[in-house]
Amino acid sequence: MMNHPVLDLPGVRRFVESIAGNLRDGRSVIVRLPLNATTGIREAVKGAVADDDLLHWTKVNTDDGAPLPTLCQNIFPEALSDGIPLIEGLYDHEEFQAIVIELGLSETGHWSDWSKFLAEFSEINHGINDLYRSQFAVFLEGPDFSLLPMPSKSFRLVEQRWNDVIDGIDTQLYAHRALRERASLTFLQRQLAASICCQLSKWDIHLCESLCGLDIEKMLNPLEHLKAYANQLGFEKMTDNASEEEKWAAGIEAVFDGESQPHSAYLALQGDEETINQRIWQAEVTVLYPHAEMLRRKILEREGRQIPIPFRTKNRETIEKLYDIDIGDLYFYFNQAHVSCRPELSSFLKDLRNTRNALAHFSTVDPHVITRRHLEKDPWEG
């Protein structure tokens, strides 16, 4: 049962179930994971396979040596006195039947031998009865392992790569859960914080978790936090001429929502503040633009009786319907000398206009408007 909040995300559950499904269907699986992928994938796959009473999970360390002697020593050591069998003879031993063998790697020295073995074993597995067929599960994580050459794939040997596994829905779900108990945040700040964490972390749930722990001020100005996170993961070691595969393996670039995107922490390390601000803007426009529109309509509802219709804008254009009046024109109207307006409403309209104008021109909002809750005050109170 997967009850860890990360492993319970829809995208991760699909990925885990896809791996487990291939193993149940008699296919060996090589899982390629970048650095800092979601932890617990091995355990989750093992748990999903354990639901099948016909399969038993065991683990063999590939560092122990060549494939056949290692498998014999770990799975049916009592039969070693009869000599090391050929690969075709593995199924002659009952202990080798109907099991999933996880290959553990801590070194890469024997991988070439195991890669050839896996390719040959997958061909033999075609003719094995479903009730007796065994398969291998290999998890290759990080730059040292996920870029190892793959054996020839076949119907009985598949490769599953961690790419486009976590999407925006997953990250939003995780962020909202993490921020749910943040009593210091207002509802609007919590919505915005979740949106910012999603846009900045993309597929990296570990980054999302660390961002959720920040004050709203630091979320709006995350550069230093992102640089520290990049150094923690060793992103500074990546050279400019690195291939896309090397960047993927290092966790620097991945497919998210169908598009290959760089990690925000790597952007910070490269000094690319523009792209980081674009991501913050995207988070802000998602939350604040609809909020600003609702506030505009609320003002028109409360103050509409003193607004003349047809309405003449500052540009001498005529508006025939009350709810077509723009925020900028409202601010202009209520700041005319002959119009009665509370100072609180005038200040509120100014913040609302500046927020809308910033978002409409691809700029981030003044952080003080958010941190001091300017758009959450009631201009008709006080």
Side-chain angles (χ1 to χ4, degrees), residues 328-366:
D329 289 319
L330 279 175
Y331 175 73
F332 168 75
Y333 175 76
F334 281 107
N335 278 276
Q336 295 179 98
H338 68 278
V339 177
S340 175
C341 179
R342 293 167 55 88
E344 294 84 359
L345 178 57
S346 178
S347 177
F348 187 80
L349 281 167
K350 182 179 180 180
D351 287 331
L352 195 58
R353 181 200 62 175
N354 291 344
T355 296
R356 196 282 314 268
N357 287 349
L359 295 174
H361 292 88
F362 214 65
S363 298
T364 55
V365 175
D366 179 359

Side-chain angles (χ1 to χ4, degrees), residues 23-43:
L23 292 170
R24 292 192 207 100
D25 291 342
R27 299 182 183 90
S28 294
V29 182
I30 297 176
V31 184
R32 297 176 60 195
L33 303 166
L35 179 69
N36 214 37
T38 299
T39 54
I41 294 295
R42 289 178 176 84
E43 293 76 10

Side-chain angles (χ1 to χ4, degrees), residues 31 73 155 163 194 238 287 294 312 324 334:
V31 184
Q73 181 65 48
F155 179 73
N163 223 5
M238 185 59 58
V287 175
M294 293 302 296
R312 183 71 70 123
D324 288 344
F334 281 107

Side-chain angles (χ1 to χ4, degrees), residues 195-196 198-203 260-265 267 273-284 362 364:
S195 188
I196 290 173
C198 177
Q199 289 298 331
L200 289 177
S201 59
K202 302 296 184 184
W203 67 89
S260 183
Q261 302 189 46
H263 198 291
S264 293
L267 293 173
E273 294 184 43
E274 181 179 355
T275 304
I276 292 172
N277 284 332
Q278 286 176 3
R279 292 180 176 184
I280 296 173
W281 171 85
Q282 191 166 351
E284 290 181 345
F362 214 65
T364 55

Side-chain angles (χ1 to χ4, degrees), residues 120-132:
E120 187 176 349
F121 180 80
S122 69
E123 295 301 322
I124 292 172
N125 244 2
H126 279 300
I128 303 299
N129 185 289
D130 291 347
L131 293 176
Y132 304 109

